Amino acid sequence: MAAIIRRDGARSFVLFTVGGMGLALPLDSVLEILRPPALVPIPLGPPSLEGLARRHGAVLPVIGLRRILGLDGAGAREGGTDDGDTKAARLLILRHNGQPVGLLVDRVSGLSAVDEGRIADSGATPDPSIDADLLAGAILASDGRDGALILDPGPLIERQFADLGRIGSPAGAADFSAPAQLKSNAAAPQDEEQLVVLTVAEQEFALPVAAVREVVPVPEAVTRVPRARAHLLGMMTLRDALLPLVGLRELFGLDAEKDRGGRGKVAVLRTAEGLVGVVVEDVREILRVPRERIDPVPPLMAREAEFEDMDGIARLDGGARLIPVLSAERLFRHGAGDGAGSAAGFGGGAQGREGEAAVAMEAERAEAFVVFRLASAEYGLPVGAVQEVLRVPDAVTPLPNAPDFVSGVTTLRGAVLPLVALRRLLRLPEGQGGAGDRSRVVVIAAGASRAGLLVDGMTGIVHIPDGAIGPAPVVSQAQNRLIRRIGALESAGERRMILLMDPAELLDMDQLADLLAAV
């Protein structure tokens, strides 16, 4: 039993309830008490883990006391409580080994200064539903005041996260911002073009990855500009800077009746006059296309002004799939006579050149990630480690005696590619929140290894400032090997936490199998 320090014959406690049970924590062990914020799930953690939260710029794990005590229902906000409205749930912020930890409870009853005479050893009021090792004592009922069991925060958290605050990044960790080496010879990338495939009005277009700074969701609120042309949709805020938005559907005069499929995405392009956001329906794939399969625009079309924004046409699937490759620099000349030039009609000149310089400076202080969805969370991989993002192949060949997270193998341009079911690898539930046609294969490479990761869908390409990237809380050994960092972004009131994965660890199949055997 942990010692209870008493000052002046009394001690202050935070009193709360879980499942109708009265509990307490010493007040000096509680940093804050707040309403439960939105939580981001993180895989490979203990059963008590509810997810991750952000507080004062720090990312902290949140554990549910209901889960720890084995009570019915999950967290206090799921499935109700025994104490009434779920709005009464509170998050107690504690500190363990220098790391903040959130403890989710049903209801906080209040703060109380308890006389020394009412504090007893936990054995004085035994409760078989709680392990005695988790208790520091008990507050005895007296004069109409209810009693409570006093939890010992050290053992309580230690039992959930034995490695929390003890494991740092391994020495000699890889530099994930550096481009990964391909399995084939180093000259191969020079003969290929990496393209981002976008969809607009059910048609496909492509842009070079080098021209796309990032891809983000269309915000709920877009500020309209008076007397602007139809394709000039307005402005949004991207990390405290204004971003003009151009609708590719409207710019190209495509069918307005086609389904837009939700809010859509913004492809942020680098131009000579600064950043411009191009609004599209979706980002479908990232492809590596051999240059000989990108044909020039046919001469009959090339001499027409309407096609000057095209660099070529990519021939895929034996010519059955043709994708126009757009030029980011010439794209906004399309309809320049209607005011589409000069940074899409929002102004340019010296101001645009200043914006371009600011973008270059910001790029030096940020890392680019390919971001994808898995279950209800976002994950990221360094752009340099991602070769391409593909549709899921129709045919997958099972691999005998492979680890359970290896779905099988397929061929990609004549080479065998193992497919890793990331849901299985991360011990996430199968078939919940699946994306169907939006599922993708993220092809990663490091050194001589290559693999395809099966994910629910692609979010886009995101530049995360260095200051927004921090270490991930260590909830397990396996998680610490695969997810070491977290990118925390906030823009226009929207908060995002992106779990940043280590591509080198994902490619070591034997080590993964050994690591996950204990999970």
Side-chain angles (χ1 to χ4, degrees):
M1 182 189 75
I4 296 292
I5 302 173
R6 304 177 178 86
R7 297 189 182 97
D8 300 327
R11 176 67 187 251
S12 294
F13 291 90
V14 177
L15 305 179
F16 54 92
T17 58
V18 174
M21 184 186 308
L23 299 168
L25 276 168
L27 179 60
D28 55 13
S29 70
V30 179
L31 303 178
E32 290 183 276
I33 303 173
L34 40 114
R35 290 186 174 90
L39 300 180
V40 173
I42 184 169
L44 303 174
S48 62
L49 183 65
E50 300 276 354
L52 301 179
R54 282 181 66 191
R55 185 65 177 166
H56 301 312
V59 177
L60 61 146
V62 173
I63 52 179
L65 199 50
R66 274 180 168 265
R67 296 181 189 266
I68 295 173
L69 301 180
L71 300 176
D72 292 337
R77 295 175 302 160
E78 303 175 18
T81 73
D82 296 337
D83 298 329
D85 196 337
T86 58
K87 293 181 179 179
R90 289 294 182 268
L91 191 65
L92 310 183
I93 308 298
L94 315 177
R95 188 173 294 279
H96 180 72
N97 290 339
Q99 163 73 51
V101 179
L103 186 65
L104 193 60
V105 303
D106 289 353
R107 179 189 296 271
V108 170
S109 308
L111 306 180
S112 178
V114 180
D115 294 335
E116 181 177 353
R118 291 184 59 207
I119 299 175
D121 186 280
S122 57
T125 55
D127 190 323
S129 64
I130 299 183
D131 188 333
D133 292 338
L134 302 182
L135 298 176
I139 298 174
L140 303 177
S142 174
D143 299 329
R145 290 175 290 182
D146 294 333
L149 295 174
I150 303 170
L151 296 175
D152 190 340
L156 183 72
I157 298 172
E158 187 76 19
R159 186 169 293 187
Q160 313 308 312
F161 308 116
D163 299 315
L164 186 67
R166 294 178 179 171
I167 300 178
S169 297
D175 180 6
F176 304 140
S177 62
Q181 296 179 352
L182 300 181
K183 185 174 182 178
S184 56
N185 61 63
Q190 300 175 4
D191 299 325
E192 295 178 330
E193 184 74 47
Q194 197 171 17
L195 302 174
V196 178
V197 180
L198 318 166
T199 57
V200 181
E202 300 180 6
Q203 297 186 39
E204 291 184 320
F205 298 89
L207 281 161
V209 166
V212 181
R213 187 175 182 278
E214 56 189 301
V215 180
V216 297
V218 174
E220 293 184 2
V222 173
T223 302
R224 302 286 177 176
V225 178
R227 297 186 297 277
R229 305 288 180 176
H231 59 276
L232 307 178
L233 303 183
M235 293 189 176
M236 65 175 279
T237 301
L238 182 66
R239 285 191 288 281
D240 298 325
L242 289 178
L243 181 72
L245 297 180
V246 175
L248 205 58
R249 178 193 291 252
E250 292 80 5
L251 184 65
F252 287 169
L254 299 176
D255 190 350
E257 300 302 320
K258 296 285 188 181
D259 182 22
R260 291 181 180 268
R263 284 164 55 187
K265 301 288 179 62
V266 178
V268 183
L269 306 186
R270 298 181 179 91
T271 74
E273 296 179 337
L275 296 182
V276 179
V278 174
V279 177
V280 299
E281 268 83 72
D282 197 10
V283 177
R284 182 160 288 177
E285 297 164 285
I286 297 178
L287 301 176
R288 285 185 183 268
V289 180
R291 293 189 189 278
E292 66 266 18
R293 294 186 185 175
I294 302 177
D295 296 335
V297 179
L300 183 65
M301 301 169 64
R303 60 175 178 250
E304 300 292 334
E306 287 80 359
F307 299 101
E308 68 173 345
D309 46 24
M310 289 173 52
D311 268 342
I313 298 175
R315 290 181 292 106
L316 305 178
D317 302 338
R321 185 181 176 200
L322 303 178
I323 303 179
V325 180
L326 304 176
S327 165
E329 287 301 328
R330 298 195 304 276
L331 181 61
F332 304 111
R333 297 180 192 172
H334 192 100
D338 295 327
S342 298
F346 289 98
Q351 182 180 6
R353 289 188 291 274
E354 291 173 4
E356 183 183 14
V359 169
M361 291 179 61
E362 183 182 353
E364 295 175 359
R365 302 191 300 269
E367 287 186 54
F369 295 89
V370 173
V371 178
F372 53 88
R373 295 185 302 279
L374 205 61
S376 55
E378 287 186 305
Y379 295 76
L381 282 163
V383 166
V386 177
Q387 285 195 331
E388 48 196 312
V389 180
L390 310 168
R391 296 175 184 175
V392 177
D394 295 329
V396 176
T397 303
L399 200 60
N401 302 319
D404 69 325
F405 53 81
V406 177
S407 294
V409 296
T410 188
T411 56
L412 180 61
R413 290 191 286 279
V416 175
L417 181 73
L419 297 178
V420 175
L422 214 48
R423 274 181 176 263
R424 259 182 257 158
L425 175 67
L426 299 179
R427 302 298 189 254
L428 296 171
E430 296 274 1
Q432 295 187 15
D437 291 340
R438 294 183 178 272
S439 297
R440 292 292 182 266
V441 177
V442 179
V443 181
I444 61 172
S449 302
R450 191 169 69 151
L453 309 178
L454 296 170
V455 304
D456 292 349
M458 181 179 169
T459 300
I461 300 172
V462 177
H463 273 67
I464 304 180
D466 289 347
I469 299 176
V474 180
V475 300
S476 71
Q477 292 267 6
Q479 167 267 320
N480 184 60
R481 297 297 293 268
L482 297 174
I483 304 169
R484 296 178 184 166
R485 301 186 296 167
I486 290 179
L489 296 175
E490 186 169 0
S491 179
E494 184 178 11
R495 284 186 158 192
R496 299 170 69 186
M497 268 196 283
I498 301 173
L499 309 179
L500 305 178
M501 305 194 77
D502 180 342
E505 296 288 348
L506 285 168
L507 288 164
D508 191 336
M509 301 293 173
D510 292 336
Q511 181 172 282
L512 281 178
D514 293 341
L515 188 65
L516 296 174
V519 175

